[in-house]
C-alpha cells in the first residue's frame, strides 16, 4: 500500500500576493482564526488586514509563543473562537507546524502563510512536535494537506538570508538522501515522481542559490528568490509527498541528529547542519570523491559548511565524542533507519573523519 499526499490544495506565489489574500480566502470561508509569530504577524498583517476588511472576512489573532509543543497547541486551541471556518498560520516552520496541529484538532482546513523560506512545512501534512524546551518529541501525520498556501515573495525577501541558506541545505538533502533511500523502489511510480521533484530541487538550487542569497541581502524579491522559495516549498514538499517512505530523509539527517551531542553546533540552523550531513552521507555511501568535491565547491560558493569548524566546532572531536555522535545517529527514531542497508557506527565515524 502506498499513500501520496503531494502538495497543498492550492499554492499561490508572487510578490505582494498577501494584498489579495481576501479574494482567495472568501472562496473557502468567512471567519479566520489566525495564529502568528509576533514579528511575522506584524509584517503580514499590514497587507492581510485591509484585504480581509475589503472582502468582509472576520478574524481573531492568537500570538504563537515560539515552540511547536503539545502544550502550546492546547493553549492555542483554548483561544479559538466558536465560529471559525479556517485556521491560518503565519510565520516560520514551527509556527506553521503548531497551527496546523491546532487546525487538525479543531477539524478545520488550514491556510499557511510562510514568512521565511526555511522548511516545506507550508505545503505538507506533517507537524514536527517538540517539548516546550525544544527537544524533539514526534511527527504528526495529519489527514489533510494545507487547503491554501499563500507565499508572498516580498515578505520572504524581507527575512534574514540565513534562513534561506538553511532552507537550501535542507532542500539539497532531498536529492542526495532521496536517491539513496529510493534504492530498490526505482520502478515504483510515486517514487519516480518524488525523485523527479528532488531533481527539480537540485537543479533549481544549483542554478539560483548564489543569486538569490545576494538578492536577499538587498531584500529584493527577485526572480532568483522566487525560484529558490518555490524549490524549498513546493518542490521539496512533493519529494516526500509523492515518495513517502521511499524518498525520505536518511543518513544526512541521521548525522545531523547525531551532531546534536556536540554543544557548539546548537546555535546553527537545522538545514546548515544537514548540509554537512550530506557530505558524510556521501562518504558512508562510498560515492566518488570527485562528486563530493564538486558539491563542496558549490557549498563554498554559497556559504554552506564543509567542515565541523564551519559549524562552530573549532577543535578536533575525540574518538569517544565521535562514537557518541554515531550512537545517537543510530538511535531507533533517527532517519538513519531509512538507509537501504544497515549502517554501523564505524561507518559513521569513518565518514565524519573523511569529511573532515
Ligand atoms: Zn530537514
Amino acid at each position: 500500500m502506498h499513500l501520496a499526499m503531494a502538495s497543498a490544495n492550492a499554492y499561490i506565489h508572487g510578490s505582494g500576493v498577501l494584498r489579495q489574500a481576501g479574494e482567495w480566502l472568501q472562496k473557502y470561508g468567512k471567519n479566520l482564526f489566525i495564529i502568528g509569530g509576533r514579528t511575522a504577524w506584524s509584517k503580514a498583517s499590514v497587507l492581510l488586514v485591509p484585504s480581509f476588511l475589503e472582502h468582509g472576512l472576520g478574524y481573531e489573532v492568537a500570538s504563537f509563543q515560539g515552540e511547536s509543543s503539545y502544550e502550546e497547541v492546547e493553549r492555542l486551541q483554548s483561544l479559538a473562537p466558536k465560529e471559525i471556518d479556517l485556521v491560518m498560520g503565519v510565520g516560520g516552520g514551527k509556527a506553521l507546524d503548531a497551527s496546523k496541529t491546532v487546525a487538525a484538532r479543531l477539524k478545520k482546513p488550514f491556510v499557511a502563510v510562510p514568512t521565511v523560506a526555511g522548511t516545506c512545512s507550508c505545503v505538507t501534512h506533517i507537524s514536527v512536535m517538540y517539548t516546550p524546551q525544544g527537544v524533539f518529541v514526534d511527527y504528526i501525520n495529519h489527514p489533510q494537506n494545507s487547503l491554501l498556501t499563500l507565499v508572498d515573495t516580498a515578505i520572504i525577501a524581507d527575512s534574514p538570508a540565513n534562513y534561506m541558506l538553511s532552507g537550501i541545505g535542507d532542500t539539497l538533502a532531498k536529492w542526495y538522501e532521496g536517491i539513496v533511500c529510493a534504492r530498490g523502489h526505482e520502478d515504483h511510480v510515486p517514487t519516480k515522481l518524488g525523485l523527479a521533484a528532488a531533481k527539480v530541487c537540485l537543479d533549481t538550487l544549483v542554478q539560483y542559490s548564489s543569486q538569490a542569497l545576494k538578492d536577499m541581502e538587498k531584500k529584493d524579491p527577485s526572480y532568483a528568490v522566487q525560484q529558490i522559495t518555490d524549490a524549498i516549498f513546493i518542490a521539496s514538499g512533493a519529494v516526500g509527498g509523492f515518495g513517502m517512505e521511499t524518498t525520505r530523509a536518511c543518513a544526512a539527517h541521521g548525522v545531523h541528529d547525531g551532531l546534536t551531542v556536540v554543544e557548539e553546533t546548537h546555535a546553527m540552523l537545522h538545514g546548515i547542519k544537514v548540509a554537512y550531513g550530506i557530505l558524510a552521507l556521501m562518504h558512508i555511501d562510498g560515492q566518488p570523491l570527485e562528486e563530493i568535491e564538486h558539491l563542496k565547491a558549490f557549498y563554498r560558493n554559497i556559504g554552506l559548511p564543509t567542515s565541523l569548524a564551519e559549524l562552530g566546532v573549532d577543535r578536533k572531536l575525540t574518538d569517544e565524542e565521535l562514537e557518541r555522535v554515531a550512537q545517537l545517529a543510530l538511535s531507533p527514531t533517527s532517519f538513519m533507519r531509512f538507509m537501504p542497508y544497515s549502517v554501523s557506527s564505524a561507518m559513521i565515524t569513518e565518514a565524519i573523519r573523511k569529511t573532515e
Side-chain angles (χ1 to χ4, degrees):
M1 193 176 79
H2 186 98
L3 165 78
M5 291 176 73
S7 177
N9 168 67
Y11 176 93
I12 304 165
H13 77 197
S15 181
V17 290
L18 292 191
R19 292 182 198 282
Q20 294 133 42
E23 223 173 290
W24 280 92
L25 290 162
Q26 61 159 5
K27 300 176 200 283
Y28 302 113
K30 271 268 163 216
N31 295 300
L32 307 166
F33 176 42
I34 299 169
I35 297 169
R38 196 165 299 155
T39 316
W41 177 245
S42 72
K43 279 189 194 175
S45 59
V46 182
L47 306 170
L48 288 171
V49 170
S51 181
F52 293 166
L53 297 177
E54 186 188 340
H55 293 279
L57 299 173
Y59 69 97
E60 278 197 39
V61 186
S63 182
F64 174 62
Q65 300 297 318
E67 199 49 78
S68 174
S69 66
Y70 286 102
E71 289 79 356
E72 176 66 355
V73 165
E74 291 278 328
R75 189 187 70 82
L76 291 165
Q77 197 181 342
S78 74
L79 299 174
K82 280 209 170 56
E83 298 287 312
I84 51 168
D85 304 313
L86 305 165
V87 174
M88 176 189 270
V90 182
K94 287 194 174 187
L96 299 184
D97 281 3
S99 40
K100 210 187 284 182
T101 306
V102 172
R105 288 195 176 186
L106 296 170
K107 293 195 161 50
K108 299 294 177 192
F110 180 62
V111 178
V113 178
T115 55
V116 297
T119 77
C120 58
S121 173
C122 65
V123 298
T124 70
H125 58 100
I126 295 171
S127 290
V128 190
M129 303 304 293
Y130 300 86
T131 66
Q133 291 72 38
V135 180
F136 172 74
V137 177
D138 60 3
Y139 292 88
I140 308 175
N141 277 289
H142 302 299
Q144 292 180 342
N145 281 336
S146 307
L147 174 70
L148 177 64
T149 298
L150 294 164
V151 183
D152 192 324
T153 331
I155 295 265
I156 301 290
D158 192 35
S159 68
N162 214 28
Y163 283 105
M164 179 174 275
L165 183 64
S166 173
I168 289 170
D170 209 24
T171 303
L172 207 51
K174 299 284 174 184
W175 172 254
Y176 289 96
E177 294 186 307
I179 51 169
V180 174
C181 180
R183 277 182 207 148
H185 304 279
E186 290 91 341
D187 211 27
H188 182 229
V189 169
T191 307
K192 286 183 184 175
L193 289 167
L195 288 180
K199 188 67 170 42
V200 172
C201 289
L202 176 72
D203 293 346
T204 309
L205 295 176
V206 167
Q207 191 172 353
Y208 293 104
S209 291
S210 171
Q211 188 59 49
L213 290 164
K214 283 181 195 137
D215 297 340
M216 287 292 287
E217 298 297 340
K218 292 180 280 179
K219 301 190 180 302
D220 175 8
S222 64
Y223 182 71
V225 168
Q226 181 77 70
Q227 292 284 316
I228 294 299
T229 302
D230 284 346
I232 293 171
F233 292 161
I234 195 166
S236 179
V239 178
F242 277 119
M244 292 285 177
E245 266 59 41
T246 67
T247 52
R248 278 275 179 249
C250 55
H253 276 77
V255 168
H256 162 280
D257 293 348
L259 284 174
T260 58
V261 301
V262 184
E263 202 55 53
E264 292 99 318
T265 65
H266 290 186
M268 292 284 161
L269 292 171
H270 171 83
I272 293 179
K273 288 183 272 192
V274 169
Y276 180 84
I278 295 172
L279 301 175
L281 155 75
M282 294 172 91
H283 282 296
I284 289 173
D285 197 45
Q287 294 182 16
L289 279 180
E290 50 184 352
E291 271 181 42
I292 302 176
E293 285 306 317
H294 186 70
L295 184 62
K296 280 164 85 172
F298 173 66
Y299 279 20
R300 289 191 194 99
N301 180 31
I302 64 167
L304 283 173
T306 59
S307 67
L308 287 172
E310 287 169 70
L311 286 178
V313 191
D314 52 2
R315 62 192 171 87
K316 198 164 176 279
L317 294 188
T318 63
D319 290 352
E320 293 72 39
E321 277 179 300
L322 275 179
E323 187 55 34
R324 282 199 289 140
V325 170
Q327 287 307 328
L328 188 59
L330 288 170
S331 68
T333 54
S334 165
F335 282 104
M336 200 63 89
R337 69 185 187 280
F338 291 113
M339 285 295 277
Y341 45 82
S342 111
V343 175
S344 67
S345 66
M347 287 161 78
I348 297 170
T349 53
E350 189 53 26
I352 293 175
R353 283 197 189 96
K354 283 183 176 164
T355 308
E356 290 303 298

